[in-house]
Each structure stands twice: as C-alpha cells, then as structure tokens.
Amino acid sequence: MQGWDVRGLRVLAAMLGFVLGTALQLQQGALWREAVYGALLASAVVGGFVLRPLERLRWGTLVLPVALLLGGMAGAGSSGWRSVVFAADALPAALEGRDLVVTGVVAQMPLRNESGLRFALEVESARWPGNADDSRATPEVPPRISLGWYADAGGELAAQPHAGERWRLPVRLKAPHGNLNPHGFDYELRLWEQGEQATGYVRGGIPAPERFATTWRHPIERAREAVRDSILMRISDRQSAGVIAALVTGDQNAIERGDWDVYRATGVAHLMAISGLHVTMFAWLAAQVVEKLWRRSGRLMLRWPAQHAGLAGGVALAALYAAFSGWGVPSQRTVWMLAVVGLLRLGGRSWPWPLMWLVVCTAVVAIDPWALMQPGFWLSFVAVGVLFAAGNGVPDDAPAGMTARFHRLLREQWVVTLALTPLTLLLFQQISAVGLPANLIAIPWVTLVITPLSMLGVLVPFLWNAASWAVQALSWVLEWLAGWPFATLSMPAPPLWMAVAGVLGGIVVAMRLPWSVRALGLPLLVPALLWQPPRPPAGEFELLAADIGQGNAVLVRTASHSLLYDAGPRYSLDSDAGHRVLVPLLRAFGERLDTVVLSHRDTDHTGGAPAVLAMQPQAKLLSSIEANHPLQALRKAERCVAGQRWTWDGVDFEILHPADSDYSAFTKPNAISCVLRIGNGRATALLAGDIEQLQETALTLRHADLSADLLLVPHHGSKTSSTQRLLEAVRPRLAIVQAGWRNRFGHPAPDVAKRYADLDIRLVDTPHCGAATWSSTAPGEMFCHRNTARRYWHHQMY
C-alpha cells in the first residue's frame, strides 16, 4: 500500500474512532473526573505523533487499529471533558422552588403556546428578593435557563419579551426534569444539548418584571423573531402560516399538532422543517445570484473567477440561512457537506463519497456530541449514505430531461424508503404506507414552490400569500392520503441489532447489483419487520406504571391480553399524556389493548384517553364517567361496578369498587373511582384510583381479604387517602406513587410517606423511578427506568 493510501486510511480510521468513542461516552450513567477525560485527550494527541513513524516500520499493520483507538480516546475525552465542565454550572438543589430575582438577556426568540410563552435567558446576575443588603450568600444560578411566562386568566401577558432585550425578572427555578419512559422522548437531554441547566417561570409580585434595554446581542434571533411575527400577522390561515414560519425561521412550534399528525402519517414531516433539500436549494440559488453579480465587475473577475466566487458565496449564504433557521442537525450536515465539496472544487480535488460522508459526520459530532442521540442525526446521515452507496448521490451522474429526473426521484425515494424502514421502526415504531406517493408529490412542491416563495417573501411579503395558497393545496392532498385505510403501519420497536441488520439489508436490495446478489439482503430485513416483544408467560402478568407526571396510567399485560388503567393527564390544549407518552409506548410494545379502564372523570386520569382510544379502536371502555361525558361520544363506556370479574390467560381481574349504590350516594368523582384487583394466586396487585378515607373504609368492610403485593397508592399519596386501616388490610410489599416532580399538591404527603415507612412498605414514586415495571414472577422487586436507562445528563435526585 502506498504511503498516501496508508495516511488516508489512518485519518479515516481516526475519524471513525472519534465518532465511536463519542457514542460510547454518551452511554455513561455518571461522569468521571475531569482529569480522566483530560488524560484521554492528551494520550490521543501524543499517540497521534507517535503513530506516524509506525507507518515506515514493521508494525505498519497496527496503524489502522491504533488510529481507531486513538480517535476513540479523543472522541470520548472531548465530549466527556465538555460534559464535566458544563455540569459544574448546574442549579444547586437548595435553590429549587425558591424566589429569586435574575437579570439577563433574552437569548432566543420566544416560543408561543396557548398558556403564554417560553424563552431562554442568559443570566447576568441573580439575587434574593427584598433589600439589597440581604446577608445571605449570592445565589449561584446557571448561565442559561429556560423560562415560561404564563398569561393571565384573560389570556394576556403582563409584558412581551423579545430576543436581545435585557430584563429583570422574579422567578422560581428547578433542575431540568422530564418524564422518562421506554422509547420515550428525553426532555432532559434536549435541555442539556441546548445548554439550559434550569427551568422555571416568571412570577408576578415584587419586584415586578422590568425591561431595561435592547442590546446588540443575538441579532439573528431578533431577525428570526421579526420575520416569524410578520408571517403570522400577515397570513390569516393558521395552518399555512405555521408551515411558512417553520420553513423560514425554523419555529416548528408554529405548526399545530393536528397538522404534524397528518405530516407524520404521510411521511413528509421532514419537509416541514429546515431540511438538507431546503439548504441545498438555497445554496444553489445564492451561488447563481452571486456569480451573476460578480461577472458584472471586471475588477472582481480579475481577482477571483466568478465560478469560485459563486461557490463560496452560495456556501456562506447557505450557512447563514441554516443559522437563521435554528441550526438543526440536517442543516448542519448539509452546510458541512457543501463546505467540503466547495473546498475540494476550489482546490481541484475529488474525494470518494465515504470519506466525504465521514468528514461531515465527524465535524457535526465534534461540534455537538449529543446530536448522536437525536433521531434526526441518524435519519439524515443514513439517508445520505444510502443514496451514495446505491449510486444515487453522485452529482456527475445526474440525468438530463424531465422524465429522467422523475425516474431518478422515484428511485431515490424507493431506496431511502426501503433502507430507512427498519431504522424508522426502531426510532418511531411507525411507517407511512403512503409515504412514497406523498413524497413524490410533496418534495418537488415544497422544494420548488413553497420554500422559494416563503423565503422570497422576506423581501416581497406579498409572496407569503402565494406560499399560503400552495401550502393549502398540498395540505388538501396530504389529508386525503392520510385518510386512506392503513395509511400508517405500526410495528413494535426491534432490538438495535435487528434495525442495523435491516438497514444493511435495505441497502443491499437497493444497490445497483444483480438480483441474485440483491436477494441476499432480504433475510436481513425480515427480523426487524416480524419482531414481536416478549410477553409474560401463561398464568403470569406484569404492570408498567408510566412516568406521565401528575396522574395515573398503568399498562397491565398477560400472555395474550393487555389493559390500560387510566390514561394520564392533559398538559395543555395541544398536549396530553396520550399523545406524548402512552401512544408511543403502546406502539413500541406492539400493544393491542383489550380494555381501557378509566377510574373516574378527573383530567389527570382521562386527559390522554382520546389519543389512546383513537389509536386502539378495538378496546372496550370500562369507567365510572357519567353518561354525558365527552368521552362517551368517542367510545361508549360500560359502567364499572363491584363484582365484575374476568380471566385472561390464567390471571383474574376483579372490580372491587364502586358498588352500584355508590353512584347515587356520592357526587365527588374520587369517591366512585374504579378499584381493580389483579391476581394469579401467587401474586396480587391492587389499583386504587383516587379513593379517599371513606371509600377505603368501605373497601375494608366489604372485602375480607385485600392483601396484595403491589399497591397503586390512592390519590397519588394525598393526605385524604392511604389510611392506616387500608394499609394494614392490604399489607403490600411495594407501593407506587404516580405524581409530578415538585408538584403543587405536595404528593406524596410527608405524613403519608411516613405511614408507609412505619409499616415497612417500600414506597416508589415515578419522579425518582421513571417508568416502573413490576412482574408477578418477582413480586418483591420493582425495576426503575431511571436506573436501567440512566445517562449522566439525567436529573440526579437525592
């Protein structure tokens, strides 16, 4: 092997090692000391200098493995060291929930929602409220925090902060904390990646919020905010205005949830955010404009060729557009890819596509190591790699003519769809059966019509109206496609190795090879498509108490049946536990619910029910909700009454409360909560809803034997429930509290927690545990998702 070949392979191995080393570091549950990561970095640098002489010696065969190792040390050391430095600025636990006054600059265009707005604040100083001569130590607040500013009862805000403004604000803060569930969204990771180490809200009172001045800082965010507000003000149709705002400024919050559902169902959601297609098209248009303007000046032509100037200008303006739109992973990947291609062309060189792909991947990971944890990173880079590998990503081979271009687009969509299906199942557990025709229509329409009109509208606002008409036309087509039977297919999430094998199989099938060779990829696709998660054996059952905040939602599984007890809370008008937690969870497990039990009407138990019932049309509804409850229009509910029994796979289910007479005796919803007992003769679980003291007493009088191994704590641990009498009758080994972190009710109440402790009952709560899994095969154990899936950026609670 020639010297330059060895050097090139050494660099390739080092870059691959860097990405792999970073990925391994991201799996850590806790960070090492800063000195350890520094030693890894230093060793990698020194090893790089030592490695060069090996190429000329007999140990030359060791060059590639050593380069891979050194790259891995550099990647792990770099991301680990940055994490340790960042974690040092975390919010002290003693400041959580305390009144503070902070002064800082709004670092992000505020994002609006129905309850107010949310924005990032770069903190310049913090103090205690009250007199300036307070003797307490100055509070140490993280340099960047995320704040909510909620509207009053009339929907109005006391003030409107804007990007770049300096404000003094009375706030209450807490450490970043999100729900943690299998296959769920990691909110704490998102805040970590954004550099925000505390969340909180602006309080009214003394001192009142005060705007000091508009600063020169964050000019791009100020421009983004101004453009977004202009779009939303000019276009009356909220649906199209949200899409245009997302395409121009990257504000995906402007798109309504119902529209996102349609875009996901049709497989075009990637087009409604700033994607590589948009950035590439912008770069091409900018290059053409710069080149033509450059040719008008003879002096400039003599200094630098117009083609080179257009290339450099196109890349630079594309980078500015990507930054203006929020600098997402697809935008980063495209900008770095364009920059590499531009430098190679300016230097008159050409690199093979694997090297170019890996250079860009390494650059993105070096800048943002935590991008490796984003689904968008893998979808973006795997899609580009697949197109290159299948022979569709080489610009020099681009065919001419409309028919040839259409055939090329059709092949690209087929290749990407085939290869990314296993990866999409792993990440989202859902694929669009109409994605191929939807993308054939949407890609050219969005790329060549909607996006140019949206961007040119910044200069000529009237064009936003034309873009709005184009969005409405596309939405009509997409809604029609989304309404087809089986428009989306849901499958359980396969293990990682199956998804990787499936992607490789898709690449082999899609490559330009003889069909006898392509057929070898089919066996690699089959495991990911046919995977079914393991279930409890016959006669056994398991419970999963989802981490849904302040509410109840428990999934019960037997060998061939499933039941959902309660559906969690409604978080806002556009957000609930059903959409955010339960639907993804049920989809990932491949669950087909037989029954949904809604214990009573309160929204912290029924808030997610519409989404769950829509996803599970076959599920029977059992509840104590009244006949005119809105959910009755979605699914007619059978009233739960004490004495109802059924058996699934050798597991007995029985409703213990309310009695039929309780419906007329009590008016409070908590009093008629459906209480469910599940048992197999060896282990028992009791799900108690929100029953209170009077109902607990009635339970103990009506049922001689209430003993259970697991108790779902009544009313989330409220003082109104968990009486001594009930606990002595049940005598559970374990009790699970589903409540929100630092919830305003103080659940579980300290007195209640002490009562459980005094009876030697282990009390587990979802804020500390995350999703909690219990099985009848091990009735004395509880498995916490925060322990099994712990990462160093997760909230450490003591």
Short mmCIF file of all heavy atoms in Angstrom, two decimals, residues 507-533:
data_model
loop_
_atom_site.label_atom_id
_atom_site.label_comp_id
_atom_site.label_asym_id
_atom_site.label_seq_id
_atom_site.Cartn_x
_atom_site.Cartn_y
_atom_site.Cartn_z
N ILE A 507 -30.05 -1.58 2.06
CA ILE A 507 -29.01 -1.04 1.16
C ILE A 507 -28.66 -2.05 0.09
O ILE A 507 -28.56 -1.73 -1.10
CB ILE A 507 -27.77 -0.64 1.97
CG1 ILE A 507 -28.08 0.53 2.91
CG2 ILE A 507 -26.62 -0.27 1.04
CD1 ILE A 507 -26.94 0.87 3.85
N VAL A 508 -28.49 -3.32 0.50
CA VAL A 508 -28.12 -4.36 -0.47
C VAL A 508 -29.22 -4.52 -1.52
O VAL A 508 -28.95 -4.62 -2.72
CB VAL A 508 -27.86 -5.70 0.26
CG1 VAL A 508 -27.67 -6.83 -0.75
CG2 VAL A 508 -26.64 -5.59 1.16
N VAL A 509 -30.49 -4.55 -1.08
CA VAL A 509 -31.60 -4.71 -2.02
C VAL A 509 -31.69 -3.53 -2.98
O VAL A 509 -32.03 -3.69 -4.16
CB VAL A 509 -32.93 -4.87 -1.25
CG1 VAL A 509 -34.12 -4.85 -2.20
CG2 VAL A 509 -32.92 -6.16 -0.45
N ALA A 510 -31.34 -2.33 -2.51
CA ALA A 510 -31.50 -1.12 -3.32
C ALA A 510 -30.31 -0.84 -4.23
O ALA A 510 -30.43 -0.03 -5.16
CB ALA A 510 -31.72 0.09 -2.41
N MET A 511 -29.17 -1.46 -3.98
CA MET A 511 -27.98 -1.16 -4.77
C MET A 511 -28.11 -1.68 -6.20
O MET A 511 -28.88 -2.60 -6.48
CB MET A 511 -26.74 -1.75 -4.10
CG MET A 511 -26.36 -1.06 -2.81
SD MET A 511 -24.88 -1.74 -2.02
CE MET A 511 -23.61 -1.12 -3.13
N ARG A 512 -27.33 -1.08 -7.08
CA ARG A 512 -27.34 -1.49 -8.49
C ARG A 512 -26.45 -2.72 -8.67
O ARG A 512 -25.32 -2.65 -9.13
CB ARG A 512 -26.85 -0.34 -9.37
CG ARG A 512 -27.82 0.83 -9.39
CD ARG A 512 -27.27 2.02 -10.14
NE ARG A 512 -28.25 3.10 -10.21
CZ ARG A 512 -28.00 4.30 -10.71
NH1 ARG A 512 -26.78 4.59 -11.16
NH2 ARG A 512 -28.94 5.21 -10.76
N LEU A 513 -27.00 -3.85 -8.26
CA LEU A 513 -26.31 -5.13 -8.31
C LEU A 513 -27.22 -6.14 -8.98
O LEU A 513 -28.44 -5.93 -9.10
CB LEU A 513 -25.97 -5.59 -6.89
CG LEU A 513 -25.02 -4.71 -6.08
CD1 LEU A 513 -24.98 -5.18 -4.63
CD2 LEU A 513 -23.62 -4.72 -6.68
N PRO A 514 -26.67 -7.27 -9.39
CA PRO A 514 -27.54 -8.33 -9.92
C PRO A 514 -28.57 -8.77 -8.89
O PRO A 514 -28.30 -8.77 -7.69
CB PRO A 514 -26.54 -9.46 -10.23
CG PRO A 514 -25.23 -8.78 -10.40
CD PRO A 514 -25.24 -7.62 -9.48
N TRP A 515 -29.76 -9.15 -9.37
CA TRP A 515 -30.83 -9.50 -8.44
C TRP A 515 -30.47 -10.69 -7.57
O TRP A 515 -30.97 -10.82 -6.44
CB TRP A 515 -32.12 -9.78 -9.21
CG TRP A 515 -32.83 -8.52 -9.59
CD1 TRP A 515 -32.92 -7.95 -10.82
CD2 TRP A 515 -33.53 -7.66 -8.69
NE1 TRP A 515 -33.63 -6.77 -10.75
CE2 TRP A 515 -34.03 -6.57 -9.45
CE3 TRP A 515 -33.80 -7.70 -7.33
CZ2 TRP A 515 -34.77 -5.55 -8.89
CZ3 TRP A 515 -34.54 -6.67 -6.76
CH2 TRP A 515 -35.01 -5.62 -7.54
N SER A 516 -29.61 -11.56 -8.08
CA SER A 516 -29.18 -12.70 -7.26
C SER A 516 -28.41 -12.23 -6.04
O SER A 516 -28.47 -12.86 -4.97
CB SER A 516 -28.31 -13.64 -8.09
OG SER A 516 -27.17 -12.95 -8.60
N VAL A 517 -27.69 -11.10 -6.17
CA VAL A 517 -26.96 -10.53 -5.04
C VAL A 517 -27.91 -9.72 -4.16
O VAL A 517 -27.85 -9.78 -2.92
CB VAL A 517 -25.78 -9.66 -5.53
CG1 VAL A 517 -25.04 -9.04 -4.35
CG2 VAL A 517 -24.83 -10.48 -6.39
N ARG A 518 -28.80 -8.95 -4.77
CA ARG A 518 -29.75 -8.16 -4.00
C ARG A 518 -30.61 -9.02 -3.09
O ARG A 518 -30.97 -8.63 -1.97
CB ARG A 518 -30.67 -7.37 -4.94
CG ARG A 518 -29.99 -6.30 -5.76
CD ARG A 518 -31.05 -5.47 -6.46
NE ARG A 518 -30.49 -4.59 -7.46
CZ ARG A 518 -31.19 -3.66 -8.10
NH1 ARG A 518 -32.48 -3.53 -7.84
NH2 ARG A 518 -30.62 -2.88 -8.99
N ALA A 519 -30.95 -10.22 -3.56
CA ALA A 519 -31.82 -11.10 -2.78
C ALA A 519 -31.19 -11.48 -1.44
O ALA A 519 -31.91 -11.84 -0.50
CB ALA A 519 -32.14 -12.36 -3.58
N LEU A 520 -29.87 -11.37 -1.35
CA LEU A 520 -29.21 -11.70 -0.09
C LEU A 520 -29.57 -10.70 1.02
O LEU A 520 -29.38 -10.99 2.20
CB LEU A 520 -27.69 -11.72 -0.29
CG LEU A 520 -27.15 -12.77 -1.27
CD1 LEU A 520 -25.64 -12.61 -1.45
CD2 LEU A 520 -27.49 -14.17 -0.78
N GLY A 521 -30.06 -9.53 0.63
CA GLY A 521 -30.44 -8.54 1.64
C GLY A 521 -31.80 -8.80 2.27
O GLY A 521 -32.10 -8.31 3.36
N LEU A 522 -32.64 -9.61 1.61
CA LEU A 522 -33.99 -9.85 2.13
C LEU A 522 -33.99 -10.53 3.50
O LEU A 522 -34.77 -10.13 4.38
CB LEU A 522 -34.80 -10.67 1.12
CG LEU A 522 -35.10 -9.97 -0.22
CD1 LEU A 522 -35.83 -10.91 -1.16
CD2 LEU A 522 -35.93 -8.71 0.03
N PRO A 523 -33.16 -11.57 3.72
CA PRO A 523 -33.16 -12.18 5.07
C PRO A 523 -32.76 -11.21 6.17
O PRO A 523 -33.17 -11.39 7.32
CB PRO A 523 -32.12 -13.31 4.94
CG PRO A 523 -32.06 -13.61 3.49
CD PRO A 523 -32.28 -12.30 2.80
N LEU A 524 -32.00 -10.17 5.83
CA LEU A 524 -31.62 -9.18 6.84
C LEU A 524 -32.79 -8.26 7.19
O LEU A 524 -32.85 -7.70 8.29
CB LEU A 524 -30.44 -8.34 6.33
CG LEU A 524 -29.13 -9.10 6.09
CD1 LEU A 524 -28.08 -8.16 5.49
CD2 LEU A 524 -28.61 -9.70 7.39
N LEU A 525 -33.72 -8.09 6.25
CA LEU A 525 -34.87 -7.22 6.51
C LEU A 525 -35.95 -7.91 7.36
O LEU A 525 -36.63 -7.25 8.15
CB LEU A 525 -35.52 -6.82 5.17
CG LEU A 525 -34.86 -5.69 4.38
CD1 LEU A 525 -35.44 -5.65 2.97
CD2 LEU A 525 -35.07 -4.36 5.08
N VAL A 526 -36.06 -9.22 7.22
CA VAL A 526 -37.18 -9.94 7.83
C VAL A 526 -37.24 -9.82 9.36
O VAL A 526 -38.32 -9.55 9.91
CB VAL A 526 -37.16 -11.42 7.39
CG1 VAL A 526 -38.18 -12.24 8.16
CG2 VAL A 526 -37.43 -11.52 5.90
N PRO A 527 -36.13 -10.00 10.10
CA PRO A 527 -36.25 -9.97 11.57
C PRO A 527 -36.83 -8.66 12.11
O PRO A 527 -37.66 -8.69 13.02
CB PRO A 527 -34.80 -10.18 12.04
CG PRO A 527 -34.14 -10.90 10.93
CD PRO A 527 -34.76 -10.36 9.68
N ALA A 528 -36.41 -7.52 11.57
CA ALA A 528 -36.91 -6.23 12.06
C ALA A 528 -38.39 -6.06 11.76
O ALA A 528 -39.13 -5.46 12.55
CB ALA A 528 -36.10 -5.08 11.45
N LEU A 529 -38.86 -6.61 10.63
CA LEU A 529 -40.25 -6.43 10.24
C LEU A 529 -41.19 -7.38 10.98
O LEU A 529 -42.39 -7.09 11.13
CB LEU A 529 -40.39 -6.63 8.73
CG LEU A 529 -39.61 -5.64 7.85
CD1 LEU A 529 -39.81 -5.97 6.39
CD2 LEU A 529 -40.03 -4.20 8.13
N LEU A 530 -40.68 -8.51 11.45
CA LEU A 530 -41.53 -9.51 12.10
C LEU A 530 -41.32 -9.59 13.60
O LEU A 530 -41.92 -10.43 14.26
CB LEU A 530 -41.27 -10.90 11.48
CG LEU A 530 -41.56 -11.04 9.99
CD1 LEU A 530 -41.32 -12.47 9.54
CD2 LEU A 530 -42.98 -10.60 9.65
N TRP A 531 -40.51 -8.71 14.16
CA TRP A 531 -40.19 -8.78 15.59
C TRP A 531 -41.43 -8.56 16.45
O TRP A 531 -42.25 -7.68 16.20
CB TRP A 531 -39.13 -7.71 15.91
CG TRP A 531 -39.02 -7.37 17.37
CD1 TRP A 531 -39.47 -6.25 17.98
CD2 TRP A 531 -38.41 -8.15 18.39
NE1 TRP A 531 -39.18 -6.27 19.32
CE2 TRP A 531 -38.54 -7.44 19.61
CE3 TRP A 531 -37.78 -9.40 18.42
CZ2 TRP A 531 -38.05 -7.91 20.82
CZ3 TRP A 531 -37.29 -9.87 19.63
CH2 TRP A 531 -37.43 -9.13 20.80
N GLN A 532 -41.54 -9.39 17.49
CA GLN A 532 -42.59 -9.23 18.49
C GLN A 532 -41.95 -9.25 19.87
O GLN A 532 -41.21 -10.19 20.20
CB GLN A 532 -43.63 -10.36 18.39
CG GLN A 532 -44.50 -10.27 17.15
CD GLN A 532 -45.35 -9.02 17.12
OE1 GLN A 532 -45.87 -8.58 18.15
NE2 GLN A 532 -45.50 -8.43 15.93
N PRO A 533 -42.18 -8.22 20.70
CA PRO A 533 -41.56 -8.18 22.03
C PRO A 533 -42.03 -9.36 22.89
O PRO A 533 -43.15 -9.84 22.72
CB PRO A 533 -42.05 -6.85 22.62
CG PRO A 533 -42.52 -6.05 21.46
CD PRO A 533 -43.01 -7.03 20.45
#
